[in-house]
Amino acid sequence: MEERNELYPVFLKVSKLNILVVGGGNVGHEKLHFLLKSSPNANVEVVAKWFLPETEELALKHGVKLTKSRYKRKFLKKRHVVIAATNDAKLNKRVYRHAKKRYLLANIADTPDLCDFYMGGIVNKGHVKIAISTNGKSPTTAKRLRQFFEEVIPENVNEMVENLNEYRKTIKGDFEAKVNQLNSLTESLIEKKEKDD
């Protein structure tokens, strides 16, 4: 049987969650950068013995708390999500074990077996956000797909979403009636694609 991607995509309101990133080097910076690029108001604290200047700059810009310290188990208190991104594999595994004892979601950089979730490629156009996963197999493919969708999705998609939202508020009837009206209104998007094929 062919292997499938069985991950379930969700969109987390990270401004309402307490996120801990362990690691102030290149990998920690990359994880923080992509998290804040997608969610500038994410509620994050980064713990490390030292930080890259770029990380300090990013933290200042987004109000991220930087704590200069060795990792200690107590840092996981009142957290929802932890990301371990140090260059010390043993420390990363220890963070994972501690997180699992507290039922926290964990992402251990470059260790798919120790990840409850992956931070995939993200396409962002106003209200429209598309997450891309390759099941942890190929970040490069996710990157190329992100670039493809960024080109294909029209710049005015946000305007369309806003207009449909306003129209949706005016529709009378039950849920099914609203869905049917909105489906018929947006059918042209699919029809255009079929004509192009």
Side-chain angles (χ1 to χ4, degrees), residues 37-148:
K37 183 180 177 189
S38 182
S39 305
N41 297 313
N43 181 17
V44 190
E45 180 178 355
V46 184
V47 171
K49 290 184 276 185
W50 58 273
F51 301 98
L52 291 172
E54 307 94 283
T55 303
E56 291 176 340
E57 196 178 306
L58 190 63
L60 187 65
K61 182 181 173 187
H62 291 275
V64 169
K65 183 179 178 185
L66 298 182
T67 302
K68 277 192 180 175
S69 171
R70 287 180 183 275
Y71 164 79
K72 298 177 188 107
R73 198 181 329 203
K74 70 175 185 177
F75 286 120
L76 295 180
K77 200 172 185 182
K78 295 184 179 176
R79 303 289 176 186
H80 299 103
V81 176
V82 60
I83 298 166
T86 77
N87 59 2
D88 181 342
K90 281 185 180 177
L91 173 58
N92 289 345
K93 283 181 182 174
R94 193 155 51 97
V95 172
Y96 179 77
R97 283 196 315 272
H98 292 165
K100 291 297 89 191
K101 284 182 180 172
R102 288 166 174 72
Y103 301 99
L104 302 180
L105 290 175
N107 175 284
I108 310 305
D110 298 324
T111 318
D113 289 349
L114 301 184
C115 289
D116 298 316
F117 65 95
Y118 300 130
M119 299 170 80
I122 296 171
V123 179
N124 207 3
K125 295 248 181 161
H127 290 298
V128 176
K129 188 170 279 192
I130 300 170
I132 301 164
S133 164
T134 59
N135 214 13
K137 303 279 186 209
S138 176
T140 304
T141 302
K143 177 183 174 182
R144 293 294 174 228
L145 285 169
R146 176 180 56 78
Q147 291 168 335
F148 169 76

